[in-house]
Amino acid sequence: MSDLRARADSPTAAVLRLAQPPIRRFAPGVFFGLVSALSSVGLLATSAWLITRAAEQPPILFLGAAIVGVRALALSRAASRYVERLSSHDAAFRQLSALRIGIYRRLVPLAPDGLRGDAGGPGRGDLLTRLVSDVDELQNLPLRVVQPLVVTVLTAVLSVIGVSIVLPSAGVTLAVALVLAFTAAVVVQSAIAGRAERSIAPLRGVLSDRLLDYVSNLDVLVAYDAVPERMTRVEAADTGLRIATLARAGGAGATFAILSALATLASVAALLVGIPALGHGLQGPALTVIALVPLAVFEVVASAPLALGAFRQVRASAARVADATPTMIPAEIPDEVPEPGSGVDRQPTSSMVELLGLGARWPGETAPAFDGLDLRVNRGDRIVIEGASGSGKTTLAHVLVRFLGYSGSYRIGGVEARELSADAVRGIVGLCEQSPYLFDEDIRQNLLFAHDTVTDDELLAVLARVGLAEWTRERGGLSARVGDDGALVSGGQAQRLALARALLADFPVIVFDEPTANVDPVRASELMRDILSVASDAHGEDSRTVIVISHTPVPDDLVTQRVRLGAPVLP
């Protein structure tokens, strides 16, 4: 149901709707927040009445109810505040967890090529900020926006009614003061901090993007003496974020100043209308109540203008999250990315691959990366795809595993690939990328996700097949860590680990995208020979097909067919 509503809204509204907890979880926090706010107002009113009435020295019996009331309201304020925090934060955190899961599920159909973006799109650091900091900011929708506004409005209305019962004219002055205070505070805060509140989320993303670029490329920047220039860009982003944060704080300070001034004026106005009423039905303790209640009410109302400021930040974060997850609105999925959920989830009966007039392009590009490719790949073939940089070799690899859509025909076992689900295609065709990603875990964990039921003996056996047995022993076994993004692993070792993953997953067709790109020329030939021999070492019905995309020469004795993109298939 929530997905249907999300589709009817704008992307930003859909994200905001997903960030708001359901009413059954949200209502308890509002209820106890209202009890806490009314207890604060009631505590001040009762205390004011008690002190004034006690100054008249009545019999203690006339003060008993007020004394008990002060104690009860003090306890109620503390207890309800505590319960309100528990219930409201529990609801917000539960919804935040559901929101994170929902967003990542919506990203899966786009990954990886639908998230690449164009030249003006978000960088890696900015995208990370959108999916972490901006998503975390969305928890403030129920906590700092909706609940404070609801509690403020109800408290203000009930307080005005209560004061009006004591003295109608005082209730009118309180209502007018509250309206003026809210309007003035919102106008001033919007003028001072409105732009800053909307810009904090984008500025945070810019800073994260520049920091990540600086840290991840520090070695190259040092080598080319480019550190000062990049550091200047980081400092500029930090300065922009700091200025926006200070402007937001300035707006909050101005808001409190206005509310404090108007709270005082509301008390003075209550005295001006209350003093003439003394002796005409209004007693001294009641005058004290209507004069001091505005101070307590304004303390509660102070959260309303801040809630609107918080909403500007929340909405800016929601817009950035929606921009990074266009599947909130299915029509926004790039045409070049396969439609999520399309195709049937069944395995083809054969791993034979046929390409006829195949073409593809990257999302956002108008010109195809390649077009008109014809190729027949039989079981057990070892194919080398060659071509100059930019000829579409990597694009072809991504088409084969259905990261990208295509034109023409791509058939697996006689079945058109677009008629199969992406998971079904990837159960047949596996991809080892140019720079395989290694998790900051040990060797065991970096292999188990390919096949999580294998034993350590089986892992050691597959490592031996890819030439990493001695290397694994020297590093202390399967528990040796590989470092952040494989920092403790060479390019060749990373490729061999990727090959081990592919063997564990038992793909009938394995595609290697530039496996020797990050390997020195001396070891590149040895690595290429090992990849082609080990990956296709099965025979007969279990023979495996290997497709290697390479810009470096591959010996003829290792391949059964060569293909040059943009040129006819060579025998």
Side-chain angles (χ1 to χ4, degrees):
M1 178 65 71
S2 61
D3 283 346
L4 293 177
R5 289 197 300 265
R7 293 179 184 181
D9 294 331
S10 68
T12 300
V15 174
L16 291 173
R17 189 183 295 276
L18 290 174
Q20 178 62 30
I23 189 65
R24 61 184 177 83
R25 287 183 180 166
F26 181 66
V30 173
F31 173 76
F32 287 107
L34 179 62
V35 172
S36 178
L38 292 177
S39 296
S40 296
V41 176
L43 178 60
L44 181 58
T46 306
S47 300
W49 186 93
L50 176 62
I51 294 172
T52 308
R53 185 74 176 97
E56 299 175 351
Q57 299 182 349
I60 191 65
L61 181 63
F62 292 96
L63 303 177
I67 294 172
V68 173
V70 168
R71 293 177 178 176
L73 289 170
L75 293 173
S76 172
R77 181 180 64 173
S80 58
R81 180 62 169 165
Y82 180 75
V83 176
E84 177 269 325
R85 287 296 180 94
L86 285 179
S87 56
S88 61
H89 281 74
D90 177 70
F93 292 158
R94 286 177 183 271
Q95 193 64 22
L96 184 62
S97 176
L99 176 64
R100 286 196 186 102
I101 294 172
I103 287 175
Y104 280 107
R105 281 177 176 169
R106 286 166 169 79
L107 287 176
V108 168
L110 293 176
D113 296 332
L115 300 177
R116 293 167 59 91
D118 52 28
R124 291 183 301 160
D126 189 19
L127 182 60
L128 180 63
T129 299
R130 295 179 188 221
L131 300 181
V132 178
S133 298
D134 286 326
V135 171
D136 286 344
E137 180 71 28
L138 294 176
Q139 68 183 300
N140 288 328
L141 177 64
L143 291 177
R144 294 181 56 196
V145 179
V146 180
Q147 181 172 314
L149 287 175
V150 173
V151 170
T152 294
V153 171
L154 293 177
T155 302
V157 170
L158 293 176
S159 298
V160 169
I161 293 174
V163 172
S164 297
I165 293 174
V166 178
L167 185 64
S169 57
V172 173
T173 60
L174 177 58
V176 172
L178 288 172
V179 172
L180 290 176
F182 181 79
T183 303
V186 168
V187 171
V188 170
Q189 190 193 38
S190 299
I192 297 176
R195 182 176 179 182
E197 288 164 340
R198 288 187 292 269
S199 65
I200 284 178
L203 288 172
R204 189 190 297 127
V206 171
L207 177 59
S208 297
D209 195 35
R210 292 182 181 180
L211 274 173
L212 181 61
D213 177 67
Y214 177 81
V215 173
S216 60
N217 298 301
L218 187 58
D219 51 349
V220 178
L221 297 176
V222 171
Y224 287 91
D225 195 26
V227 170
E229 185 271 334
R230 291 302 177 94
M231 182 56 71
T232 300
R233 297 178 70 243
V234 172
E235 291 174 350
D238 180 69
T239 299
L241 180 58
R242 185 173 66 254
I243 292 173
T245 304
L246 290 174
R248 178 183 63 181
T255 298
F256 279 118
I258 291 173
L259 291 174
S260 297
L262 288 173
T264 303
L265 292 177
S267 295
V268 172
L271 289 173
L272 292 177
V273 300
I275 291 175
L278 284 174
H280 300 282
L282 184 69
Q283 302 299 319
L287 175 63
T288 307
V289 170
I290 64 173
L292 294 182
V293 161
L295 299 179
V297 176
F298 270 79
E299 184 178 347
V300 176
V301 171
S303 62
L306 298 181
L308 295 181
F311 179 68
R312 284 190 285 266
Q313 286 182 248
V314 169
R315 194 178 190 285
S317 292
R320 286 164 49 79
V321 171
D323 182 58
T325 55
T327 46
M328 303 296 289
I329 302 295
E332 294 187 11
I333 298 176
D335 294 336
E336 297 82 3
V337 176
E339 185 76 19
S342 61
V344 295
D345 192 15
R346 64 181 177 87
Q347 291 291 327
T349 57
S350 168
S351 61
M352 183 180 69
V353 175
E354 296 175 282
L355 310 179
L356 181 62
L358 190 72
R361 64 182 182 185
W362 291 105
E365 300 290 334
T366 56
F370 69 89
D371 200 11
L373 175 62
D374 297 331
L375 177 64
R376 181 185 176 92
V377 182
N378 295 310
R379 179 188 292 272
D381 279 353
R382 291 173 291 179
I383 312 281
V384 173
I385 308 294
E386 299 172 325
S389 297
S391 60
K393 302 188 299 297
T394 296
T395 309
L396 174 60
H398 285 217
V399 168
L400 293 177
V401 292
R402 296 291 280 143
F403 289 162
L404 284 174
Y406 61 89
S407 60
S409 178
Y410 166 28
R411 302 173 72 84
I412 302 176
V415 181
E416 190 65 42
R418 62 171 61 92
E419 296 177 3
L420 301 171
S421 68
D423 289 341
V425 173
R426 292 166 198 160
I428 298 292
V429 185
L431 173 63
C432 294
E433 296 185 286
Q434 178 176 326
S435 299
Y437 185 81
L438 298 178
F439 299 95
D440 188 12
E441 281 287 351
D442 55 28
I443 298 172
R444 179 186 293 105
Q445 294 302 320
N446 272 280
L447 296 177
L448 279 178
F449 83 90
H451 192 173
D452 58 5
T453 61
V454 296
T455 64
D456 282 0
D457 289 340
E458 291 173 311
L459 293 179
L460 291 172
V462 78
L463 288 171
R465 288 178 63 188
V466 300
L468 291 178
E470 183 65 27
W471 174 79
T472 303
R473 283 193 295 270
E474 291 175 353
R475 291 181 58 84
L478 294 172
S479 297
R481 301 185 73 88
V482 301
D484 185 19
D485 199 12
L488 304 178
V489 176
S490 69
Q493 291 160 350
Q495 283 293 341
R496 292 177 187 273
L497 286 173
L499 174 57
R501 287 173 176 171
L503 295 178
L504 286 169
D506 198 25
F507 295 116
V509 180
I510 305 179
V511 181
F512 292 89
D513 184 11
E514 302 283 9
T516 60
N518 300 313
V519 182
D520 61 85
V522 176
R523 290 184 171 83
S525 178
E526 177 187 355
L527 175 62
M528 183 68 75
R529 184 174 292 276
D530 287 348
I531 285 175
L532 286 170
S533 59
V534 173
S536 59
D537 60 358
H539 301 284
E541 291 298 321
D542 296 327
S543 59
R544 185 179 291 107
T545 301
V546 181
I547 300 175
V548 176
I549 294 171
S550 177
H551 68 284
T552 58
V554 180
D556 290 338
D557 63 312
L558 297 178
V559 301
T560 59
Q561 189 175 176
R562 294 179 182 272
V563 175
R564 177 167 292 274
L565 289 184
V569 177
L570 301 177

